[in-house]
Amino acid sequence: MSTVLVLNGPNLNLLGTREPAIYGATTLADVDALCRTAAAGHGLTADCRQSNHEGVLVDWIHEAGKAYAAGDLKGVVLNAGAYTHTSLAIADAIRGTGVPVIEVHITNVHAREAFRHHSYLSPVARGIIVGLGPNGYVLAIAALAGLPPKA
């Protein structure tokens, strides 16, 4: 069975308690369960991870690139949190590995502070889903499931 890797960046471990008026009451554990259910519906498994550390996320993307090349991974769902707007390292990791990445944001970043309007990841992402809450992860998994197998 193929896998989708779901990566969450800094402060997403605080979902459910961090600014619930903005991010809602859904916890990261809820998001992980939602992703596992969505993946199973496509005959996939979801490997869900979270880190507050940029280098860890880069390492996981490198690992994903190898798994994708081996045909064991459909791609990555990535909510990089604030690293979206600052991390050339994560963008370079995506570009360097060639793994398909769907960038996800729970909120509509374009309706928020100006600094959130720019993403270093969007130019290297296969697609972008913003503002649809946790359901954005479900849509990202469906998008990855629909990609043709790696040739």
Side-chain angles (χ1 to χ4, degrees), residues 13-33:
N13 56 305
L14 299 176
L15 283 176
T17 59
R18 175 189 176 205
E19 300 176 275
I22 295 172
Y23 296 102
T26 303
T27 66
L28 184 58
D30 296 333
V31 170
D32 291 349

Side-chain angles (χ1 to χ4, degrees), residues 49-151:
R49 306 177 189 180
Q50 187 275 331
S51 180
N52 293 317
H53 305 282
E54 183 179 31
V56 172
L57 294 166
V58 168
D59 288 343
W60 286 340
I61 293 166
H62 291 178
E63 179 185 310
K66 291 176 186 172
Y68 176 71
D72 298 327
L73 185 81
K74 288 294 283 185
V76 177
V77 175
L78 174 61
N79 184 341
Y83 288 139
T84 301
H85 320 292
T86 64
S87 183
L88 295 171
I90 292 174
D92 284 348
I94 295 167
R95 184 180 295 108
T97 62
V99 64
V101 171
I102 307 295
E103 178 184 346
V104 172
H105 299 283
I106 293 170
T107 66
N108 180 352
V109 293
H110 302 290
R112 295 186 61 197
E113 303 93 339
F115 74 88
R116 295 185 195 275
H117 299 179
H118 179 266
S119 168
Y120 284 103
L121 309 181
S122 294
V124 295
R126 180 69 61 97
I128 306 151
I129 300 171
V130 302
L132 299 178
N135 195 50
Y137 290 85
V138 173
L139 297 170
I141 290 168
L144 289 173
L147 294 177
K150 177 154 173 31

